[in-house]
């Protein structure tokens, strides 16, 4: 598995391109990286692109709920998930998105639709902490 994490300062958005197979531990490792980036460059929006994910067995756990709370505490307000093409990974992702109460999240078929939705979300920009 590999991930590319990009930062769009103009639109206050992080972009995470997840590639390959993800189990619970690989997902946690990637989420830790995302949290580190979120703390360094706070954003109100995250585009989680799973379209290049080939397999996922991830479930929402207490750890994941705490990670979401930490991301939200660092300023994240909405997440757009681009669904993977693999049917099992797609179902796992859809279940995950439905189980999350906050931050607000929606699943999409493609990056363009996810980005368009994020662009329409009116959320305050996250001020830099000055660290």
């Amino acid at each position: 598995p590999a991930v590319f994490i990009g930062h769009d300062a103009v639109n206050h958005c992080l972009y995470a391109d997840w590639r390959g197979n993800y189990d619970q531990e690989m997902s946690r490792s990637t989420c830790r990286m995302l949290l580190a980036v979120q703390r360094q460059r706070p954003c109100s929006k995250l585009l989680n692109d799973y379209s290049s994910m080939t397999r996922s067995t991830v479930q929402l756990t207490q750890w994941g709920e705490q990670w979401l709370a930490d991301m939200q505490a660092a300023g994240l307000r909405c997440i757009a998930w681009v669904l993977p093409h693999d049917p099992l990974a797609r179902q796992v992702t859809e279940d995950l998105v439905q189980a999350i109460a906050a931050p607000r999240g929606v699943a999409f078929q493609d990056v363009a639709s996810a980005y368009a939705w994020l662009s329409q979300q009116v959320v305050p920009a996250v001020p830099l902490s000055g660290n």
Side-chain angles (χ1 to χ4, degrees):
V3 67
F4 166 81
I5 300 173
H7 177 252
D8 179 350
V10 173
N11 294 302
H12 309 286
C13 185
L14 290 179
Y15 173 74
D17 183 7
W18 302 58
R19 298 174 174 267
N21 297 331
Y22 281 84
D23 60 15
Q24 204 71 25
E25 189 48 45
M26 286 306 305
S27 178
R28 285 181 181 180
S29 176
T30 301
C31 287
R32 285 184 200 103
M33 285 188 277
L34 276 168
L35 182 58
V37 172
Q38 174 68 8
R39 286 178 171 158
Q40 289 175 341
R41 300 174 186 252
C43 291
S44 54
K45 303 172 186 179
L46 169 62
L47 199 162
N48 246 350
D49 183 359
Y50 285 9
S51 63
S52 296
M53 185 182 283
T54 52
R55 184 169 166 263
S56 176
T57 57
V58 176
Q59 296 177 347
L60 185 60
T61 62
Q62 274 188 309
W63 188 96
E65 289 173 356
Q66 183 59 53
W67 174 79
L68 286 164
D70 292 344
M71 290 290 284
Q72 194 166 7
L76 187 67
R77 297 296 175 258
C78 50
I79 306 173
W81 269 274
V82 179
L83 294 169
H85 299 291
D86 174 72
L88 179 58
R90 174 183 290 267
Q91 186 60 54
V92 166
T93 303
E94 288 174 338
D95 293 346
L96 182 71
V97 172
Q98 289 177 2
I100 295 171
R104 183 177 17 165
V106 178
F108 296 90
Q109 302 294 325
D110 58 80
V111 173
S113 299
Y115 187 79
W117 178 79
L118 279 175
S119 298
Q120 294 172 0
Q121 301 311 298
V122 179
V123 292
V126 181
L128 294 176
S129 62
N131 294 338

